[in-house]
Amino acid sequence: MAKASFERMAAKLATDEEKADAAARKAEPAVPLTAAQRILKAWEIKDYFSLLGLPEPEADELGRPVWSCTEVEVGKAYRKLSIVVHPDKNPGDDEARRAFEVLNKAHRMLKDPTSREDVLRGAADKARRKREQQEAAADLDTRMRMNAAKNDRAREMRKQEGQGLQSHILEQMRKRQEEVKRRAEAAAKAAAARGGRRSEDSDDEEERGQGAGVHMGPAKPGARTAAQAEGSDEDEDAAAAARNKRRKKPAFM
């Protein structure tokens, strides 16, 4: 019996000591983290937004991410921190070197459209769960009013989304029609240009033919060509030689 009582007292004292230690730790002022330590801690929990000192995204009533930061603001936050933890500014500091490396990785993730979309989607899910937990902690009437307001906003957003999608489709159709019209006009102009060139070529050939007819027209009647004149002279010479041969026959014949 005494042993059991002693154990209960010892357990009570241990519990009291643990409570005292916890209270003392809570009372102790928190040591501020350096920039490198804060960056590394944020990287461990995959909080890329607080790592760069940027606000976290929210989620709308449809669960989509809502984030107001632009690429310019992301680049500005990166440059500001990179100067602080740059290895050249902190020679021999391994913590600063590692912080600089993960800072570059986080910057590339938020700069690339594909990886940024994934990160924003994850942050939106986190924000949605946090909001649902807060709503669950409220009383029934408050939850009913919040749910009704959320459903109204969701319906309005879906309506606007549908109108925006319809406008986008109409705009794409208009651009496609303008492109078809522009191509048709370009094809018609090209065909007209080709027809004009063919007409000019035909006119040039006709002019060349007419010019050749003027310089090389048909021969006049009675006119002889050089070949005909040369052949006629040869025939006359042969006839004269034959006549002379007949006249010079021997006497005994």
Side-chain angles (χ1 to χ4, degrees):
M1 190 74 178
K3 182 178 180 181
S5 177
F6 177 77
E7 289 177 352
R8 285 195 297 270
M9 291 179 62
K12 186 177 182 304
L13 288 174
T15 303
D16 293 341
E17 289 178 359
E18 289 176 358
K19 290 181 179 179
D21 291 340
R25 286 194 301 269
K26 188 175 181 180
E28 291 178 357
V31 178
L33 299 175
T34 64
Q37 291 171 345
R38 185 184 61 78
I39 291 172
L40 292 173
K41 183 178 180 180
W43 178 261
E44 289 177 358
I45 61 175
K46 298 182 180 181
D47 188 356
Y48 309 114
F49 305 99
S50 63
L51 187 151
L52 285 162
L54 298 170
E56 293 188 1
E58 296 293 336
D60 62 12
E61 278 69 18
L62 298 179
R64 299 172 303 186
V66 178
W67 198 45
S68 60
C69 291
T70 62
E71 291 186 6
V72 175
E73 292 173 330
V74 173
K76 187 182 295 184
Y78 162 74
R79 288 190 294 271
K80 181 179 178 181
L81 287 173
S82 64
I83 294 173
V84 176
V85 297
H86 198 282
D88 293 344
K89 293 280 186 178
N90 305 273
D93 190 342
D94 184 66
E95 197 172 55
R97 179 188 60 78
R98 290 188 290 113
F100 183 75
E101 291 176 356
V102 299
L103 177 66
N104 278 277
K105 292 179 181 179
H107 178 238
R108 285 195 296 268
M109 291 179 68
L110 294 182
K111 188 177 180 181
D112 180 71
T114 303
S115 59
R116 181 175 64 244
E117 184 178 355
D118 293 337
V119 173
L120 288 175
R121 191 182 300 112
D125 291 339
K126 180 182 176 181
R128 178 182 54 79
R129 289 193 299 269
K130 182 179 179 180
R131 186 174 60 197
E132 289 175 352
Q133 290 175 356
Q134 292 174 349
E135 293 173 355
D139 56 66
L140 181 59
D141 292 338
T142 303
R143 288 202 305 272
M144 292 178 64
R145 287 194 300 269
M146 293 173 66
N147 287 332
K150 183 172 66 174
N151 292 334
D152 290 341
R153 288 194 299 269
R155 281 194 295 269
E156 184 64 25
M157 292 178 69
R158 290 192 184 95
K159 181 179 178 180
Q160 293 176 358
E161 190 177 44
Q163 292 174 351
L165 179 60
Q166 184 178 6
S167 300
H168 176 72
I169 293 173
L170 292 175
E171 180 66 17
Q172 293 297 320
M173 292 176 61
R174 184 186 64 80
K175 289 182 178 179
R176 192 177 298 111
Q177 291 173 354
E178 291 179 354
E179 181 66 17
V180 171
K181 182 179 179 181
R182 185 187 64 79
R183 291 182 178 179
E185 292 176 352
K189 290 181 180 179
R194 288 194 298 270
R197 285 197 297 270
R198 284 196 296 268
S199 178
E200 292 176 359
D201 294 341
S202 178
D203 293 342
D204 292 342
E205 291 178 359
E206 184 177 353
E207 290 177 359
R208 286 196 295 271
Q210 292 176 355
V214 170
H215 295 294
M216 298 181 64
K220 293 181 180 180
R224 297 188 303 173
T225 64
Q228 290 174 346
E230 184 177 356
S232 178
D233 293 341
E234 291 177 354
D235 293 342
E236 291 178 358
D237 292 342
R243 287 194 297 271
N244 291 335
K245 186 177 181 181
R246 286 195 299 271
R247 283 196 296 267
K248 293 181 180 179
K249 292 181 178 180
F252 61 86
M253 305 254 334

CSV table of all heavy atoms in Angstrom, one decimal, residues 75-126:
chain,number,residue,atom,x,y,z
A,75,GLY,N,10.0,38.0,-58.3
A,75,GLY,CA,11.4,38.3,-58.6
A,75,GLY,C,12.0,39.3,-57.6
A,75,GLY,O,13.2,39.1,-57.2
A,76,LYS,N,11.2,40.3,-57.2
A,76,LYS,CA,11.8,41.3,-56.3
A,76,LYS,C,12.0,40.6,-54.9
A,76,LYS,O,13.1,40.9,-54.3
A,76,LYS,CB,10.7,42.4,-56.1
A,76,LYS,CG,11.2,43.6,-55.3
A,76,LYS,CD,10.1,44.6,-55.1
A,76,LYS,CE,9.8,45.2,-56.5
A,76,LYS,NZ,8.8,46.3,-56.4
A,77,ALA,N,11.1,39.8,-54.4
A,77,ALA,CA,11.3,39.1,-53.1
A,77,ALA,C,12.5,38.2,-53.2
A,77,ALA,O,13.3,38.1,-52.2
A,77,ALA,CB,10.1,38.3,-52.8
A,78,TYR,N,12.7,37.5,-54.3
A,78,TYR,CA,13.9,36.6,-54.4
A,78,TYR,C,15.2,37.4,-54.4
A,78,TYR,O,16.1,37.0,-53.7
A,78,TYR,CB,13.8,35.8,-55.8
A,78,TYR,CG,15.1,35.2,-56.2
A,78,TYR,CD1,15.6,34.1,-55.6
A,78,TYR,CD2,15.8,35.8,-57.2
A,78,TYR,CE1,16.8,33.6,-55.9
A,78,TYR,CE2,17.0,35.2,-57.6
A,78,TYR,CZ,17.5,34.1,-57.0
A,78,TYR,OH,18.7,33.6,-57.4
A,79,ARG,N,15.3,38.5,-55.1
A,79,ARG,CA,16.5,39.3,-55.2
A,79,ARG,C,16.8,39.8,-53.8
A,79,ARG,O,18.0,39.9,-53.4
A,79,ARG,CB,16.4,40.4,-56.2
A,79,ARG,CG,16.4,39.9,-57.6
A,79,ARG,CD,16.5,41.0,-58.6
A,79,ARG,NE,15.3,41.9,-58.6
A,79,ARG,CZ,14.3,41.7,-59.4
A,79,ARG,NH1,14.2,40.6,-60.2
A,79,ARG,NH2,13.2,42.5,-59.3
A,80,LYS,N,15.8,40.2,-53.1
A,80,LYS,CA,16.0,40.8,-51.7
A,80,LYS,C,16.7,39.8,-50.8
A,80,LYS,O,17.6,40.1,-50.1
A,80,LYS,CB,14.7,41.3,-51.2
A,80,LYS,CG,14.8,41.9,-49.8
A,80,LYS,CD,13.4,42.4,-49.4
A,80,LYS,CE,13.5,43.0,-48.0
A,80,LYS,NZ,12.2,43.5,-47.5
A,81,LEU,N,16.1,38.5,-50.8
A,81,LEU,CA,16.7,37.5,-49.9
A,81,LEU,C,18.0,36.9,-50.4
A,81,LEU,O,18.8,36.5,-49.6
A,81,LEU,CB,15.6,36.4,-49.8
A,81,LEU,CG,14.4,36.7,-48.9
A,81,LEU,CD1,13.4,35.6,-49.0
A,81,LEU,CD2,14.8,37.0,-47.5
A,82,SER,N,18.1,36.9,-51.7
A,82,SER,CA,19.4,36.3,-52.3
A,82,SER,C,20.6,37.1,-51.9
A,82,SER,O,21.7,36.6,-51.7
A,82,SER,CB,19.3,36.2,-53.8
A,82,SER,OG,19.2,37.4,-54.4
A,83,ILE,N,20.4,38.4,-51.7
A,83,ILE,CA,21.5,39.3,-51.3
A,83,ILE,C,21.9,39.0,-49.9
A,83,ILE,O,23.1,39.0,-49.5
A,83,ILE,CB,21.1,40.8,-51.5
A,83,ILE,CG1,20.9,41.1,-52.9
A,83,ILE,CG2,22.1,41.7,-50.8
A,83,ILE,CD1,20.4,42.5,-53.2
A,84,VAL,N,20.9,38.6,-49.0
A,84,VAL,CA,21.1,38.4,-47.6
A,84,VAL,C,21.9,37.1,-47.4
A,84,VAL,O,22.8,37.0,-46.6
A,84,VAL,CB,19.8,38.4,-46.8
A,84,VAL,CG1,20.1,38.1,-45.3
A,84,VAL,CG2,19.1,39.8,-47.0
A,85,VAL,N,21.5,36.0,-48.1
A,85,VAL,CA,22.1,34.7,-47.8
A,85,VAL,C,23.1,34.3,-48.9
A,85,VAL,O,23.4,33.1,-49.0
A,85,VAL,CB,21.0,33.6,-47.7
A,85,VAL,CG1,20.0,33.9,-46.6
A,85,VAL,CG2,20.1,33.6,-49.0
A,86,HIS,N,23.5,35.2,-49.7
A,86,HIS,CA,24.4,34.9,-50.8
A,86,HIS,C,25.8,34.4,-50.2
A,86,HIS,O,26.3,34.9,-49.2
A,86,HIS,CB,24.7,36.1,-51.7
A,86,HIS,CG,25.3,35.7,-53.0
A,86,HIS,ND1,26.6,35.4,-53.2
A,86,HIS,CD2,24.7,35.6,-54.3
A,86,HIS,CE1,26.8,35.1,-54.5
A,86,HIS,NE2,25.7,35.2,-55.1
A,87,PRO,N,26.3,33.3,-50.8
A,87,PRO,CA,27.6,32.8,-50.2
A,87,PRO,C,28.7,33.8,-50.2
A,87,PRO,O,29.6,33.7,-49.3
A,87,PRO,CB,27.9,31.6,-51.1
A,87,PRO,CG,26.6,31.2,-51.7
A,87,PRO,CD,25.8,32.4,-51.8
A,88,ASP,N,28.7,34.7,-51.1
A,88,ASP,CA,29.8,35.7,-51.1
A,88,ASP,C,29.6,36.7,-49.9
A,88,ASP,O,30.6,37.2,-49.4
A,88,ASP,CB,29.7,36.5,-52.4
A,88,ASP,CG,30.1,35.7,-53.6
A,88,ASP,OD1,30.7,34.6,-53.4
A,88,ASP,OD2,29.8,36.1,-54.8
A,89,LYS,N,28.4,36.9,-49.5
A,89,LYS,CA,28.2,37.7,-48.3
A,89,LYS,C,28.4,37.0,-47.0
A,89,LYS,O,28.6,37.6,-45.9
A,89,LYS,CB,26.7,38.2,-48.3
A,89,LYS,CG,26.4,39.2,-49.4
A,89,LYS,CD,26.9,40.6,-49.1
A,89,LYS,CE,26.4,41.6,-50.2
A,89,LYS,NZ,26.9,42.9,-49.9
A,90,ASN,N,28.4,35.6,-47.1
A,90,ASN,CA,28.5,34.8,-45.9
A,90,ASN,C,29.6,33.7,-46.1
A,90,ASN,O,29.3,32.5,-46.2
A,90,ASN,CB,27.2,34.1,-45.5
A,90,ASN,CG,26.1,35.1,-45.3
A,90,ASN,OD1,25.9,35.7,-44.2
A,90,ASN,ND2,25.3,35.4,-46.4
A,91,PRO,N,30.8,34.1,-46.3
A,91,PRO,CA,31.9,33.1,-46.6
A,91,PRO,C,32.1,32.1,-45.4
A,91,PRO,O,32.1,32.5,-44.2
A,91,PRO,CB,33.1,34.0,-46.7
A,91,PRO,CG,32.9,35.2,-46.0
A,91,PRO,CD,31.4,35.5,-46.1
A,92,GLY,N,32.1,30.8,-45.8
A,92,GLY,CA,32.3,29.8,-44.8
A,92,GLY,C,31.0,29.4,-44.0
A,92,GLY,O,31.1,28.5,-43.1
A,93,ASP,N,29.9,30.0,-44.3
A,93,ASP,CA,28.6,29.8,-43.6
A,93,ASP,C,27.9,28.7,-44.4
A,93,ASP,O,27.2,29.0,-45.4
A,93,ASP,CB,27.8,31.0,-43.5
A,93,ASP,CG,26.6,30.9,-42.5
A,93,ASP,OD1,26.2,29.7,-42.3
A,93,ASP,OD2,26.1,31.9,-42.0
A,94,ASP,N,27.9,27.5,-43.9
A,94,ASP,CA,27.2,26.4,-44.7
A,94,ASP,C,25.7,26.6,-44.6
A,94,ASP,O,25.0,26.2,-45.6
A,94,ASP,CB,27.6,25.0,-44.0
A,94,ASP,CG,27.0,23.9,-44.8
A,94,ASP,OD1,27.4,23.7,-46.0
A,94,ASP,OD2,26.1,23.2,-44.3
A,95,GLU,N,25.2,27.1,-43.6
A,95,GLU,CA,23.7,27.3,-43.4
A,95,GLU,C,23.2,28.3,-44.5
A,95,GLU,O,22.2,28.1,-45.1
A,95,GLU,CB,23.4,27.8,-42.0
A,95,GLU,CG,21.9,27.6,-41.7
A,95,GLU,CD,21.7,28.0,-40.2
A,95,GLU,OE1,22.1,29.1,-39.7
A,95,GLU,OE2,21.2,27.1,-39.5
A,96,ALA,N,24.0,29.4,-44.6
A,96,ALA,CA,23.6,30.4,-45.6
A,96,ALA,C,23.7,29.8,-47.1
A,96,ALA,O,22.9,30.1,-47.9
A,96,ALA,CB,24.5,31.6,-45.5
A,97,ARG,N,24.7,29.0,-47.3
A,97,ARG,CA,24.9,28.4,-48.6
A,97,ARG,C,23.7,27.5,-48.9
A,97,ARG,O,23.1,27.5,-50.1
A,97,ARG,CB,26.2,27.5,-48.7
A,97,ARG,CG,26.4,26.8,-50.0
A,97,ARG,CD,27.6,25.9,-49.9
A,97,ARG,NE,27.4,24.9,-48.9
A,97,ARG,CZ,26.6,23.8,-49.1
A,97,ARG,NH1,26.0,23.6,-50.2
A,97,ARG,NH2,26.5,22.9,-48.1
A,98,ARG,N,23.3,26.7,-48.0
A,98,ARG,CA,22.1,25.8,-48.2
A,98,ARG,C,20.8,26.6,-48.4
A,98,ARG,O,20.0,26.3,-49.2
A,98,ARG,CB,22.0,24.8,-47.1
A,98,ARG,CG,23.1,23.8,-47.0
A,98,ARG,CD,22.8,22.7,-46.0
A,98,ARG,NE,22.9,23.1,-44.7
A,98,ARG,CZ,21.9,23.2,-43.8
A,98,ARG,NH1,20.7,22.9,-44.1
A,98,ARG,NH2,22.1,23.7,-42.6
A,99,ALA,N,20.7,27.7,-47.6
A,99,ALA,CA,19.5,28.6,-47.7
A,99,ALA,C,19.5,29.2,-49.1
A,99,ALA,O,18.4,29.3,-49.7
A,99,ALA,CB,19.6,29.6,-46.6
A,100,PHE,N,20.7,29.6,-49.6
A,100,PHE,CA,20.7,30.2,-51.0
A,100,PHE,C,20.3,29.2,-52.0
A,100,PHE,O,19.6,29.5,-53.0
A,100,PHE,CB,22.2,30.7,-51.2
A,100,PHE,CG,22.3,31.4,-52.6
A,100,PHE,CD1,21.8,32.7,-52.7
A,100,PHE,CD2,22.9,30.8,-53.6
A,100,PHE,CE1,22.0,33.3,-54.0
A,100,PHE,CE2,23.1,31.4,-54.8
A,100,PHE,CZ,22.6,32.7,-55.0
A,101,GLU,N,20.7,27.9,-51.9
A,101,GLU,CA,20.3,26.9,-52.9
A,101,GLU,C,18.8,26.6,-52.9
A,101,GLU,O,18.2,26.6,-53.9
A,101,GLU,CB,21.1,25.6,-52.5
A,101,GLU,CG,22.6,25.7,-52.8
A,101,GLU,CD,23.3,24.4,-52.3
A,101,GLU,OE1,22.6,23.5,-51.8
A,101,GLU,OE2,24.5,24.3,-52.5
A,102,VAL,N,18.2,26.5,-51.7
A,102,VAL,CA,16.8,26.2,-51.7
A,102,VAL,C,16.0,27.5,-52.1
A,102,VAL,O,14.9,27.4,-52.6
A,102,VAL,CB,16.3,25.7,-50.3
A,102,VAL,CG1,17.0,24.4,-49.9
A,102,VAL,CG2,16.6,26.7,-49.2
A,103,LEU,N,16.5,28.6,-51.8
A,103,LEU,CA,15.9,29.9,-52.2
A,103,LEU,C,15.8,29.9,-53.8
A,103,LEU,O,14.8,30.3,-54.3
A,103,LEU,CB,16.7,31.1,-51.7
A,103,LEU,CG,16.1,32.5,-52.2
A,103,LEU,CD1,14.8,32.7,-51.6
A,103,LEU,CD2,17.1,33.6,-51.7
A,104,ASN,N,16.9,29.5,-54.4
A,104,ASN,CA,16.8,29.4,-55.9
A,104,ASN,C,15.8,28.4,-56.4
A,104,ASN,O,15.1,28.6,-57.4
A,104,ASN,CB,18.2,29.1,-56.4
A,104,ASN,CG,19.1,30.3,-56.5
A,104,ASN,OD1,19.1,31.1,-57.5
A,104,ASN,ND2,19.9,30.5,-55.5
A,105,LYS,N,15.7,27.3,-55.7
A,105,LYS,CA,14.8,26.2,-56.1
A,105,LYS,C,13.3,26.8,-56.0
A,105,LYS,O,12.5,26.5,-56.8
A,105,LYS,CB,15.0,25.0,-55.3
A,105,LYS,CG,16.3,24.3,-55.6
A,105,LYS,CD,16.4,23.0,-54.7
A,105,LYS,CE,17.7,22.3,-54.9
A,105,LYS,NZ,17.9,21.1,-54.0
A,106,ALA,N,13.1,27.4,-54.8
A,106,ALA,CA,11.7,27.9,-54.6
A,106,ALA,C,11.4,29.0,-55.7
A,106,ALA,O,10.2,29.1,-56.1
A,106,ALA,CB,11.6,28.5,-53.2
A,107,HIS,N,12.3,29.8,-56.0
A,107,HIS,CA,12.1,30.9,-57.0
A,107,HIS,C,11.8,30.3,-58.3
A,107,HIS,O,10.9,30.7,-59.1
A,107,HIS,CB,13.3,31.8,-57.1
A,107,HIS,CG,13.2,32.8,-58.1
A,107,HIS,ND1,14.1,33.0,-59.1
A,107,HIS,CD2,12.2,33.8,-58.3
A,107,HIS,CE1,13.7,34.0,-59.9
A,107,HIS,NE2,12.6,34.5,-59.4
A,108,ARG,N,12.5,29.2,-58.7
A,108,ARG,CA,12.2,28.6,-60.0
A,108,ARG,C,10.9,27.9,-60.0
A,108,ARG,O,10.2,27.9,-61.0
A,108,ARG,CB,13.3,27.5,-60.3
A,108,ARG,CG,14.7,28.1,-60.7
A,108,ARG,CD,15.6,27.1,-61.3
A,108,ARG,NE,15.9,26.1,-60.4
A,108,ARG,CZ,17.0,26.1,-59.6
A,108,ARG,NH1,17.8,27.2,-59.7
A,108,ARG,NH2,17.3,25.2,-58.8
A,109,MET,N,10.5,27.3,-58.9
A,109,MET,CA,9.1,26.7,-58.8
A,109,MET,C,8.0,27.7,-59.0
A,109,MET,O,7.0,27.4,-59.7
A,109,MET,CB,9.0,26.0,-57.5
A,109,MET,CG,9.9,24.8,-57.3
A,109,MET,SD,9.7,24.0,-55.7
A,109,MET,CE,8.1,23.3,-55.9
A,110,LEU,N,8.2,28.9,-58.4
A,110,LEU,CA,7.1,29.9,-58.6
A,110,LEU,C,7.2,30.7,-59.9
A,110,LEU,O,6.3,31.4,-60.2
A,110,LEU,CB,7.1,30.8,-57.4
A,110,LEU,CG,6.8,30.2,-56.0
A,110,LEU,CD1,6.8,31.3,-54.9
A,110,LEU,CD2,5.4,29.5,-56.1
A,111,LYS,N,8.3,30.5,-60.5
A,111,LYS,CA,8.5,31.2,-61.8
A,111,LYS,C,8.0,30.4,-63.0
A,111,LYS,O,7.5,30.9,-63.9
A,111,LYS,CB,10.0,31.6,-62.0
A,111,LYS,CG,10.3,32.5,-63.2
A,111,LYS,CD,11.8,32.8,-63.3
A,111,LYS,CE,12.0,33.7,-64.5
A,111,LYS,NZ,13.5,34.0,-64.6
A,112,ASP,N,8.2,29.1,-62.9
A,112,ASP,CA,7.7,28.2,-64.0
A,112,ASP,C,6.2,28.1,-63.9
A,112,ASP,O,5.7,27.8,-62.9
A,112,ASP,CB,8.4,26.8,-63.8
A,112,ASP,CG,8.0,25.9,-64.9
A,112,ASP,OD1,8.4,26.1,-66.1
A,112,ASP,OD2,7.2,24.9,-64.6
A,113,PRO,N,5.5,28.3,-65.0
A,113,PRO,CA,4.0,28.2,-65.0
A,113,PRO,C,3.5,26.9,-64.5
A,113,PRO,O,2.5,26.8,-63.7
A,113,PRO,CB,3.6,28.5,-66.4
A,113,PRO,CG,4.8,29.2,-67.0
A,113,PRO,CD,6.0,28.7,-66.4
A,114,THR,N,4.1,25.8,-65.0
A,114,THR,CA,3.5,24.4,-64.6
A,114,THR,C,3.7,24.1,-63.1
A,114,THR,O,2.8,23.8,-62.5
A,114,THR,CB,4.3,23.4,-65.5
A,114,THR,OG1,4.1,23.6,-66.9
A,114,THR,CG2,3.7,22.0,-65.2
A,115,SER,N,4.9,24.3,-62.6
A,115,SER,CA,5.2,24.0,-61.2
A,115,SER,C,4.4,25.0,-60.3
A,115,SER,O,4.0,24.7,-59.3
A,115,SER,CB,6.7,24.1,-60.9
A,115,SER,OG,7.2,25.3,-61.3
A,116,ARG,N,4.3,26.3,-60.8
A,116,ARG,CA,3.6,27.3,-60.0
A,116,ARG,C,2.1,26.9,-59.8
A,116,ARG,O,1.5,27.1,-58.8
A,116,ARG,CB,3.7,28.7,-60.6
A,116,ARG,CG,3.0,29.8,-59.8
A,116,ARG,CD,3.2,31.1,-60.4
A,116,ARG,NE,2.6,31.3,-61.7
A,116,ARG,CZ,3.4,31.5,-62.8
A,116,ARG,NH1,4.7,31.6,-62.7
A,116,ARG,NH2,2.8,31.7,-64.0
A,117,GLU,N,1.6,26.4,-60.9
A,117,GLU,CA,0.1,25.9,-60.8
A,117,GLU,C,0.0,24.8,-59.8
A,117,GLU,O,-1.0,24.8,-59.1
A,117,GLU,CB,-0.3,25.5,-62.2
A,117,GLU,CG,-1.8,25.1,-62.3
A,117,GLU,CD,-2.2,24.7,-63.7
A,117,GLU,OE1,-1.4,24.8,-64.6
A,117,GLU,OE2,-3.4,24.3,-63.9
A,118,ASP,N,0.9,23.9,-59.8
A,118,ASP,CA,0.8,22.8,-58.8
A,118,ASP,C,1.0,23.3,-57.4
A,118,ASP,O,0.2,22.9,-56.5
A,118,ASP,CB,1.9,21.8,-59.1
A,118,ASP,CG,1.7,21.0,-60.4
A,118,ASP,OD1,0.6,21.0,-60.9
A,118,ASP,OD2,2.7,20.5,-61.0
A,119,VAL,N,1.9,24.2,-57.2
A,119,VAL,CA,2.1,24.8,-55.9
A,119,VAL,C,0.9,25.6,-55.4
A,119,VAL,O,0.4,25.5,-54.2
A,119,VAL,CB,3.4,25.6,-55.8
A,119,VAL,CG1,3.5,26.4,-54.5
A,119,VAL,CG2,4.6,24.8,-56.1
A,120,LEU,N,0.3,26.3,-56.3
A,120,LEU,CA,-0.9,27.1,-56.0
A,120,LEU,C,-2.0,26.2,-55.7
A,120,LEU,O,-2.8,26.5,-54.7
A,120,LEU,CB,-1.2,28.1,-57.1
A,120,LEU,CG,-0.3,29.3,-57.3
A,120,LEU,CD1,-0.6,30.1,-58.5
A,120,LEU,CD2,-0.3,30.2,-56.1
A,121,ARG,N,-2.2,25.2,-56.4
A,121,ARG,CA,-3.3,24.2,-56.1
A,121,ARG,C,-3.1,23.6,-54.8
A,121,ARG,O,-4.1,23.5,-54.0
A,121,ARG,CB,-3.3,23.2,-57.2
A,121,ARG,CG,-4.6,22.3,-57.2
A,121,ARG,CD,-4.6,21.2,-58.2
A,121,ARG,NE,-4.5,21.8,-59.6
A,121,ARG,CZ,-3.4,21.7,-60.4
A,121,ARG,NH1,-2.4,21.0,-60.0
A,121,ARG,NH2,-3.4,22.2,-61.6
A,122,GLY,N,-1.9,23.2,-54.4
A,122,GLY,CA,-1.7,22.6,-53.1
A,122,GLY,C,-2.0,23.7,-52.0
A,122,GLY,O,-2.6,23.3,-50.9
A,123,ALA,N,-1.6,24.9,-52.2
A,123,ALA,CA,-1.8,25.9,-51.2
A,123,ALA,C,-3.3,26.2,-51.1
A,123,ALA,O,-3.8,26.5,-50.0
A,123,ALA,CB,-1.1,27.2,-51.5
A,124,ALA,N,-4.0,26.2,-52.2
A,124,ALA,CA,-5.5,26.4,-52.2
A,124,ALA,C,-6.2,25.3,-51.4
A,124,ALA,O,-7.1,25.6,-50.6
A,124,ALA,CB,-6.0,26.5,-53.6
A,125,ASP,N,-5.8,24.1,-51.5
A,125,ASP,CA,-6.4,23.0,-50.8
A,125,ASP,C,-6.1,23.2,-49.3
A,125,ASP,O,-7.0,22.9,-48.5
A,125,ASP,CB,-5.8,21.6,-51.2
A,125,ASP,CG,-6.2,21.3,-52.6
A,125,ASP,OD1,-7.2,21.8,-53.1
A,125,ASP,OD2,-5.5,20.5,-53.3
A,126,LYS,N,-4.9,23.6,-49.0
A,126,LYS,CA,-4.6,23.9,-47.5
A,126,LYS,C,-5.5,25.0,-47.0
A,126,LYS,O,-6.0,24.9,-45.8
A,126,LYS,CB,-3.1,24.2,-47.4
A,126,LYS,CG,-2.6,24.5,-46.0
A,126,LYS,CD,-1.2,24.9,-46.0
A,126,LYS,CE,-0.7,25.3,-44.6
A,126,LYS,NZ,0.7,25.7,-44.6
